[in-house]
Amino acid sequence: MRVRRNALAVFLVSEAVVIALGILAYSEGKSYPGNGSTMGALILTLPILLERAGWFKMPMFMHAWAALAVGLHTFGLVRGLYDTTWWWDELTHFVSSSMVCMIAALGLYLFDIHSVKIKVPRWAYPMMVLTFAIFIGVIWEVAEFTGDLLAGTRMQYSILDTVRDCYVDLLG
């Protein structure tokens, strides 16, 4: 199956930016931001691969949203904004968690309209999307903790940082 031209354009531009940031990070001897850039590039590739395989066609605004979330995170890592700009972590958590909520809402809607046996009441959508966002936020914080413990990544600054991240994830 062919990938839509506008989806491919968003992918190529965002991929080029993220890869360029990764090259910059590696050239400055910053392996953690460079590795984050590599992971971001892989994340941006997934929807395009799924569309090419004919499994899933992500709406265009979600391609742009994902590019924004990955781009902000990568830029913040490479330029050190998580350490120098107090609100950068909140911004990236808000954008990312709102993206997670949109994916959850879309998935729930698609499941609901295609399922014959199970129907989700409309009043339950907000609760289920919020629960999914909290779940993904907690998984992210556990991953940060694990990275700190096993690899010394210094992603978590304090308990307050972790709790504030969870609050911002709720807002997203």
Side-chain angles (χ1 to χ4, degrees):
M1 180 179 234
R2 291 177 40 98
V3 175
R4 294 164 294 159
R5 182 173 298 206
N6 51 0
L8 188 59
V10 169
F11 166 71
L12 290 174
V13 169
S14 59
E15 195 78 354
V17 169
V18 169
I19 289 171
L21 286 167
I23 291 169
L24 176 65
Y26 285 126
S27 72
E28 294 175 347
K30 300 176 183 174
S31 62
Y32 175 65
N35 294 342
S37 299
T38 302
M39 184 63 84
L42 292 172
I43 289 169
L44 289 173
T45 304
L46 184 61
I48 293 297
L49 292 177
L50 292 174
E51 185 168 331
R52 182 140 168 68
W55 292 354
F56 178 71
K57 189 190 292 189
M58 196 160 79
M60 273 310 301
F61 77 93
M62 290 179 72
H63 279 286
W65 208 335
L68 177 65
V70 170
L72 286 172
H73 177 64
T74 304
F75 183 75
L77 280 175
V78 173
R79 301 314 312 155
L81 296 176
Y82 285 98
D83 296 322
T84 61
T85 308
W86 68 266
W87 48 265
W88 193 262
D89 192 34
E90 279 76 11
L91 173 68
T92 57
H93 270 272
F94 182 80
V95 172
S96 298
S97 67
S98 61
M99 177 67 190
V100 166
C101 287
M102 185 53 63
I103 290 169
L106 180 61
L108 184 60
Y109 175 73
L110 290 173
F111 172 79
D112 197 27
I113 64 171
H114 292 293
S115 175
V116 176
K117 294 184 178 185
I118 301 171
K119 290 298 175 193
V120 179
R122 298 287 186 245
W123 61 264
Y125 273 50
M127 179 187 62
M128 294 175 88
V129 168
L130 182 62
T131 301
F132 185 73
I134 292 168
F135 172 73
I136 295 299
V138 168
I139 293 297
W140 182 265
E141 293 303 319
V142 168
E144 283 186 355
F145 175 78
T146 305
D148 289 353
L149 194 64
L150 299 178
T153 56
R154 297 185 313 111
M155 288 190 284
Q156 291 186 313
Y157 295 96
S158 66
I159 295 289
L160 179 61
D161 171 64
T162 301
V163 172
R164 189 172 35 235
D165 289 349
C166 290
Y167 281 139
V168 174
D169 289 341
L170 282 171
L171 291 174

